[in-house]
C-alpha cells in the first residue's frame, strides 16, 4: 500500500529479505564460484567476487542472444557454472604443465598478530568492512526513505525502463539496449541493468526496489571490499591500516553517494564501486605492491577476467583505470633502472619496461580518444577558481560540499608520508595527483579544447570526476591515519611506562596490546567523527531527490498513484502513448505496460511519431487509427505540460486531452490532474 500524504511506500526495508538474498546470489555467488575454482582465497576472493559476477552477467547477456537463449537467472548461473568448469580444467592443465608453478593471487597467510593477538588481528578486516557497510547502507536507506522510492531526475526515466525492458524481453545485451525500442537499438553498457533485472526476475517487488537494493549492495559492500583490497596492495596485509581503509571508505561524500544524489548516474556508480578491486589487480600485476607476487601471471589473468565486467558496467572507468595505474608503471620502470645501477637487475629488463611503458602510453591515449562520447550534449562548464578546487581536493569536499575535517589532516599527513618514503609510495602520491588534476581541470580551468580533451570522456562533468577522488584519496588517508595511530600509541605507551615508574608499577606489566587497543579505538573514533556535516548534507540531498511530492520533477503523487492503477485498465499487450518528458513513459517500469517511447531520446518510427503528434485526432485524421491498430496503442497518459527537459519537439498528440476538445477519446481513470485516456474512435 502506498501512503499518499508523505509520498512514501509503507513497505519497509526488512520486508525485502528475499530480495537481499537474491542480491547475494546475483552479485557475489557466481563470481565466488568461478574464483574458488580458480584457486583464489581470502580477501582477494571476497573483493573480486562482484567484479567477476559483473563480467559473467555482462558477457552472458551479450552472447546469449546469438545462440537464441534468453537471459534469465537460470542461464546466468549456467554461464557461471560453465566458467567455473573452465577454470577447473585450466587449473588442472596448468598443474600438469612442465612449467608449473603455483599461481598465487594476493597476500597469503594469516594477518600478522602484531600486539593485538591473533584473534583480534584477524577480526580487523571484517570489522572495517562491516562498519562501512552498516554506515553506508544506513545512509542510503535513510536517504531513499522507502524501498519503492525513486530518483526524480532526468536519467532515471531511462534506467528504470531499461531494467523493465530486460525483464520483459529477456535480452540484456550491451549491443542492443540503446534507447529501448526496435528503431533505436544501439550500444549502452548494460551489466548493471542486467544484474538489477535479475533481481526483478527473482521476485523483487518492483523495479524500484531492485534498483535500490542493487545500488546499496554496490555502495555498501562492493566498494568497501575493493577499497580494503586496494590498500592491502599498498601497505601489506596488516590489521590497523586495513581497518582504517574499511572504516574510512564510508567517510567520503563524493562516493558512494554523490552519483546517486546527482543524475542519477547508476552505471557510473556501479562501475566506480568495482574500480578499486580492479586497480588493486593492476598494481599487483605491475609488481609495485607491498609484497610483489612471485609471478605476475595470476594477477594478469584475474585482471583480464574482471575487465569486461568493468567495461560493460561503464566504459569510462577503463580510461580512469589506465590513468590511475600510469604512476605505478612509471614508478616500476624507474625502480628497475635504479636496480640496474645497483647491479641487482639486468639492463635488458629496464629496456623492456621502458618499451612497455611507451606501449602503455599509446594504448591509453587511444582509449582516451576512442571512448570519448559525443560532447554535443555535454553542457557542463567550469565553475570555480583553481585555489578553491585545490582546497576541495585536499579536504575531500568536492562540488561545494562541507569540508571533511577528519580527512583533511589525514590527507596532508599521508602526502607527507609519501614524500618521506618516496621510493615505496611515489606512485600512491602520483595516483592522487592524477585524480586531483582531472578534477582541477574539469571544475576550474577555462572551457576549451584542452579541457575537453582531458575530461571529455566524462562529458566534462565535474560530478563524475569528483566521484573518482575518494578512490585515490583513501590510500593517502590510510597512510596518514596509520602514521597518526602509531604516534598516538607511542604517546600512550610512554605515558603508561612513566606513570608505572613513578606511581603504579603494575602499569609496566600491561601487555603491549593495551596500546594496540587504543589504536583500534582511535580508528573507530575517526570513523564516527567523519560522519559529520558533509555526509549529513549529501544524505539530505538524497532525501530530496528521492521524495515524491505533488510537485516532483518527474512524477507527482497523483501520477504515481495513477501508474499503480494502470494495469487494471490496460491489457498486458497494450501500448500506452505518453510524453516521455513528463514521466508518462515510466508506465513501463511502474505498471509493466509498454510505453510508446520508453526513453526521452531515441529514433521514432513513422507510426510512433504520428501518434505522438496526432493521437488525439483519431476521430477526424484518417492516418491515426491505422497506426493505433498496428501498434495496439489505444491508451494515452496526460501528465500535463510540465517537462523534466523541455525540447523543441512538440509531442502535441497527447496534450490537452482533458479539456474535452478531442472527440473519440474517453477518460478511463484519473487521480487528481493525472489522467488515463482510451481512444474510442477506432473501435
Amino acid at each position: 500500500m502506498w501512503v499518499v500524504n508523505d509520498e512514501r511506500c509503507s513497505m519497509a526495508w526488512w520486508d525485502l529479505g528475499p530480495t537481499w538474498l537474491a542480491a547475494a546470489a546475483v552479485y557475489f555467488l557466481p563470481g565466488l564460484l568461478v574464483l574458488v575454482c580458480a584457486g583464489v582465497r581470502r580477501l582477494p576472493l571476497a573483493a573480486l567476487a562482484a567484479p567477476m559476477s559483473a563480467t559473467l552477467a555482462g558477457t552472458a547477456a551479450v552472447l546469449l542472444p546469438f545462440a537464441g537463449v534468453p537471459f534469465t537467472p537460470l542461464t546466468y548461473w549456467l554461464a557461471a557454472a560453465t566458467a567455473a568448469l573452465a577454470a577447473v580444467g585450466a587449473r588442472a592443465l596448468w598443474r600438469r604443465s612442465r612449467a608449473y608453478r603455483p599461481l598465487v593471487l594476493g597476500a597469503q597467510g594469516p594477518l600478522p598478530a602484531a600486539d593485538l593477538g591473533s584473534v583480534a588481528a584477524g577480526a580487523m578486516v571484517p570489522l572495517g568492512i562491516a562498519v562501512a557497510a552498516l554506515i553506508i547502507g544506513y545512509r542510503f536507506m535513510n536517504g531513499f526513505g522507502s524501498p519503492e522510492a525513486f530518483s526524480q531526475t532526468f536519467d532515471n526515466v531511462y534506467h528504470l525502463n531499461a531494467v523493465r525492458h530486460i525483464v520483459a524481453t529477456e535480452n540484456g545485451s550491451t549491443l542492443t539496449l540503446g534507447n529501448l525500442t526496435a528503431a533505436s537499438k544501439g550500444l549502452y553498457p548494460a551489466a548493471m541493468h542486467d544484474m538489477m533485472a535479475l533481481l526483478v526476475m527473482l521476485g523483487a517487488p518492483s523495479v524500484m526496489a531492485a534498483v535500490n537494493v542493487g545500488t546499496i549492495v554496490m555502495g555498501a559492500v562492493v566498494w568497501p571490499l575493493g577499497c580494503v583490497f586496494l590498500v592491502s596492495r599498498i601497505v601489506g596485509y596488516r590489521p590497523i591500516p586495513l581497518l582504517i581503509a574499511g572504516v574510512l571508505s564510508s567517510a567520503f561524500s563524493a562516493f558512494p553517494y554523490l552519483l546517486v544524489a546527482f543524475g542519477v548516474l547508476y552505471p557510473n556508480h556501479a562501475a566506480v564501486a568495482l574500480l578499486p578491486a580492479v586497480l588493486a589487480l593492476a598494481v599487483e600485476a605491475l609488481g609495485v605492491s607491498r609484497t610483489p607476487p612471485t609471478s605476475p601471471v595470476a594477477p594478469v589473468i584475474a585482471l583480464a577476467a574482471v575487465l569486461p565486467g568493468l567495461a560493460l558496467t561503464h566504459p569510462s572507468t577503463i580510461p580512469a583505470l589506465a590513468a590511475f595505474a600510469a604512476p605505478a608503471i612509471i614508478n616500476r620502470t624507474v625502480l628497475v633502472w635504479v636496480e640496474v645501477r645497483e647491479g641487482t637487475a639486468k639492463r635488458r629488463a629496464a629496456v623492456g619496461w621502458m618499451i612497455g611503458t611507451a606501449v602503455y602510453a599509446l594504448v591509453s591515449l587511444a582509449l582516451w580518444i576512442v571512448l570519448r562520447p559525443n560532447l554535443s550534449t555535454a553542457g557542463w562548464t567550469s565553475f570555480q577558481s583553481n585555489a578553491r578546487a585545490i582546497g576541495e581536493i585536499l579536504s575531500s569536499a568536492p562540488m561545494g560540499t562541507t569540508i571533511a575535517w577528519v580527512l583533511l589532516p589525514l590527507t596532508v599527513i599521508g602526502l607527507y608520508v609519501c614524500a618521506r618514503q618516496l621510493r615505496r609510495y611515489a606512485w600512491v602520491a602520483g595516483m592522487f595527483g592524477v585524480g586531483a588534476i582531472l578534477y582541477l581541470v574539469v571544475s576550474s580551468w577555462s572551457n576549451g579544447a584542452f579541457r575537453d580533451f582531458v575530461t571529455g570522456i566524462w562529458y566534462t562533468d565535474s560530478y563524475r570526476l569528483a566521484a573518482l577522488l575518494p578512490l585515490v584519496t583513501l590510500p593517502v588517508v590510510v597512510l596518514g591515519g596509520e602514521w597518526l595511530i602509531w604516534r598516538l600509541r607511542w604517546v600512550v605507551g610512554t605515558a603508561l611506562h612513566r606513570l608505572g615508574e613513578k606511581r603504579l608499577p603494575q602499569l609496566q606489566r600491561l601487555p603491549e596490546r593495551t596500546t594496540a587497543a587504543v589504536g583500534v579505538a582511535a580508528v573507530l573514533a575517526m570513523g564516527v567523527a567523519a560522519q559529520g556535516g558533509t555526509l549529513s548534507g549529501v544524505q539530505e540531498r538524497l532525501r530530496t531527490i528521492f521524495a515524491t511530492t505533488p510537485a516532483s520533477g518527474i512524477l507527482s503523487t497523483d501520477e504515481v498513484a495513477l501508474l499503480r492503477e494502470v494495469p487494471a485498465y490496460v491489457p498486458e499487450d497494450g501500448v500506452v502513448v505518453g510524453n516521455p518528458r513528463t514521466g508518462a513513459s515510466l508506465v513501463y517500469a511502474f505498471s509493466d505496460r509498454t510505453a510508446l517511447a520508453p526513453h526521452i531520446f531515441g529514433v521514432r518510427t513513422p507510426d510512433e511519431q504520428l501518434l505522438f503528434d496526432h493521437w488525439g485526432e483519431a476521430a477526424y485524421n484518417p492516418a491515426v487509427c491505422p497506426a493505433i491498430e498496428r501498434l495496439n496503442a489505444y491508451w494515452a497518459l496526460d501528465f500535463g505540460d510540465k517537462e523534466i527537459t523541455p525540447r523543441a519537439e512538440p509531442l502535441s498528440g497527447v496534450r490537452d486531452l482533458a479539456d474535452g476538445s478531442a472527440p473519440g477519446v474517453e477518460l478511463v481513470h484519473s487521480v487528481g490532474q493525472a489522467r488515463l485516456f482510451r481512444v474510442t474512435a477506432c473501435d
Side-chain angles (χ1 to χ4, degrees):
M1 177 182 294
W2 283 74
V3 182
V4 175
N5 58 350
D6 67 357
E7 329 311 339
R8 303 278 177 149
C9 177
S10 62
M11 177 181 291
W13 291 102
W14 54 79
D15 294 329
L16 293 180
T19 302
W20 292 112
L21 292 175
V26 168
Y27 283 81
F28 297 100
L29 185 59
L32 285 172
L33 176 63
V34 174
L35 293 170
V36 166
C37 290
V40 181
R41 299 292 184 269
R42 296 175 62 80
L43 179 58
L45 174 64
L48 296 173
M52 188 70 232
S53 295
T55 289
L56 293 168
T59 54
V62 169
L63 296 176
L64 288 174
F66 291 103
V69 177
F71 178 71
T72 66
L74 177 59
T75 55
Y76 169 52
W77 288 323
L78 286 175
T82 302
L85 289 174
V88 170
R91 196 176 177 198
L93 290 174
W94 175 246
R95 285 179 179 275
R96 294 180 182 179
S97 169
R98 291 182 179 180
Y100 170 71
R101 293 173 62 188
L103 298 180
V104 179
L105 180 64
Q108 299 297 300
L111 277 168
D115 44 19
L116 281 167
S118 58
V119 174
M124 291 301 99
V125 170
L127 175 62
I129 293 169
V131 168
L134 289 173
I135 291 173
I136 296 171
Y138 168 78
R139 287 201 178 278
F140 269 130
M141 291 180 190
N142 189 277
F144 295 160
S146 157
E148 298 280 0
F150 60 99
S151 174
Q152 294 274 356
T153 51
F154 162 82
D155 295 271
N156 216 19
V157 174
Y158 175 82
H159 294 312
L160 296 181
N161 280 343
V163 173
R164 173 63 71 190
H165 181 78
I166 295 169
V167 174
T169 62
E170 295 183 334
N171 182 346
S173 175
T174 292
L175 303 179
T176 58
L177 194 61
N179 288 304
L180 309 180
T181 64
S184 293
K185 286 182 179 179
L187 288 170
Y188 194 88
M192 179 219 73
H193 300 92
D194 292 333
M195 299 177 90
M196 291 176 175
L198 291 171
L199 297 185
V200 179
M201 296 178 190
L202 288 170
S206 68
V207 169
M208 287 65 68
V211 169
N212 290 337
V213 167
T215 300
I216 293 172
V217 167
M218 294 303 294
V221 183
V222 176
W223 164 254
L225 276 169
C227 287
V228 172
F229 183 43
L230 173 61
V231 169
S232 74
R233 305 302 84 215
I234 297 170
V235 303
Y237 209 47
R238 295 186 285 123
I240 292 297
L242 296 187
L243 175 64
I244 298 173
V247 170
L248 293 187
S249 67
S250 66
F252 297 88
S253 61
F255 197 84
Y257 307 108
L258 194 62
L259 293 180
V260 182
F262 166 79
V264 62
L265 305 179
Y266 285 127
N268 281 83
H269 172 267
V272 175
L274 297 173
L275 189 54
V278 182
L279 181 58
L281 288 176
V283 167
E284 186 160 353
L286 291 169
V288 295
S289 55
R290 183 63 175 265
T291 306
T294 56
S295 168
V297 175
V300 167
I301 292 174
L303 186 61
V306 299
L307 275 177
L310 186 67
L312 292 172
T313 301
H314 203 282
S316 68
T317 46
I318 299 299
L321 174 66
F324 294 151
I329 192 171
I330 294 171
N331 188 79
R332 181 70 175 126
T333 303
V334 172
L335 287 179
V336 171
W337 274 107
V338 171
E339 290 168 0
V340 169
R341 294 187 63 182
E342 294 173 348
T344 58
K346 295 181 179 180
R347 188 179 184 87
R348 183 172 58 184
V351 172
W353 273 100
M354 286 192 67
I355 294 173
T357 302
V359 172
Y360 183 88
L362 291 174
V363 172
S364 298
L365 179 61
L367 286 173
W368 215 265
I369 295 172
V370 171
L371 294 180
R372 183 180 309 280
N374 187 339
L375 297 183
S376 61
T377 58
W380 292 278
T381 60
S382 57
F383 58 91
Q384 62 183 348
S385 66
N386 289 332
R388 180 174 175 179
I390 293 171
E392 290 185 348
I393 292 164
L394 291 174
S395 60
S396 294
M399 304 309 297
T401 53
T402 306
I403 292 176
W405 291 109
V406 171
L407 300 181
L408 174 58
L410 295 181
T411 302
V412 174
I413 295 171
L415 292 173
Y416 163 77
V417 172
C418 290
R420 286 291 302 271
Q421 303 182 51
L422 201 59
R423 183 164 180 169
R424 175 175 291 172
Y425 296 131
W427 66 271
V428 177
M431 190 168 64
F432 175 81
V434 169
I437 289 171
L438 288 173
Y439 181 72
L440 180 71
V441 170
V442 77
S443 66
S444 64
W445 284 35
S446 300
N447 302 322
F450 180 77
R451 180 175 179 270
D452 288 347
F453 175 77
V454 173
T455 65
I457 291 171
W458 297 275
Y459 293 93
T460 66
D461 180 2
S462 299
Y463 281 94
R464 298 174 197 250
L465 288 167
L468 293 173
L469 284 174
L471 172 63
V472 295
T473 303
L474 181 63
V476 176
V477 166
V478 170
L479 293 176
E482 185 185 24
W483 185 93
L484 198 61
I485 293 300
W486 278 110
R487 270 60 189 175
L488 174 64
R489 290 182 59 185
W490 180 83
V491 169
V492 172
T494 301
L496 288 175
H497 181 74
R498 290 177 178 175
L499 186 60
E501 285 181 335
K502 295 179 179 180
R503 298 181 181 180
L504 299 172
Q506 62 269 30
L507 289 179
Q508 290 181 295
R509 297 193 296 271
L510 284 175
E512 191 69 19
R513 66 186 60 178
T514 300
T515 58
V518 171
V520 172
V523 173
L524 297 177
M526 283 192 297
V528 172
Q531 301 299 315
T534 184
L535 292 173
S536 299
V538 77
Q539 180 177 302
E540 186 57 35
R541 178 168 181 163
L542 279 172
R543 290 188 63 84
T544 301
I545 294 297
F546 278 77
T548 301
T549 69
S552 297
I554 292 181
L555 294 177
S556 68
T557 308
D558 291 343
E559 290 163 354
V560 170
L562 177 59
L563 289 178
R564 294 293 175 183
E565 299 178 27
V566 163
Y569 301 96
V570 179
E572 291 185 4
D573 62 345
V575 174
V576 180
V577 183
N579 182 349
R581 304 196 297 266
T582 66
S585 59
L586 280 170
V587 68
Y588 199 18
F590 278 77
S591 313
D592 194 16
R593 296 297 183 266
T594 302
L596 188 64
H599 186 26
I600 292 174
F601 301 126
V603 178
R604 320 291 188 202
T605 67
D607 278 353
E608 290 168 351
Q609 192 61 54
L610 175 67
L611 296 189
F612 275 125
D613 294 336
H614 304 287
W615 187 87
E617 303 171 7
Y620 53 87
N621 187 331
V624 174
C625 278
I628 288 176
E629 292 166 359
R630 284 191 292 270
L631 297 176
N632 196 27
Y634 289 87
W635 300 267
L637 286 167
D638 184 356
F639 284 175
D641 295 335
K642 186 183 72 173
E643 298 181 340
I644 189 68
T645 172
R647 296 179 65 197
E649 185 183 17
L651 302 180
S652 57
V654 291
R655 286 188 176 183
D656 304 323
L657 296 176
D659 63 5
S661 61
V665 174
E666 66 174 359
L667 178 65
V668 174
H669 188 59
S670 66
V671 177
Q673 299 301 309
R675 295 175 172 85
L676 173 67
F677 292 90
R678 183 184 185 279
V679 66
T680 58
C682 303
D683 291 344

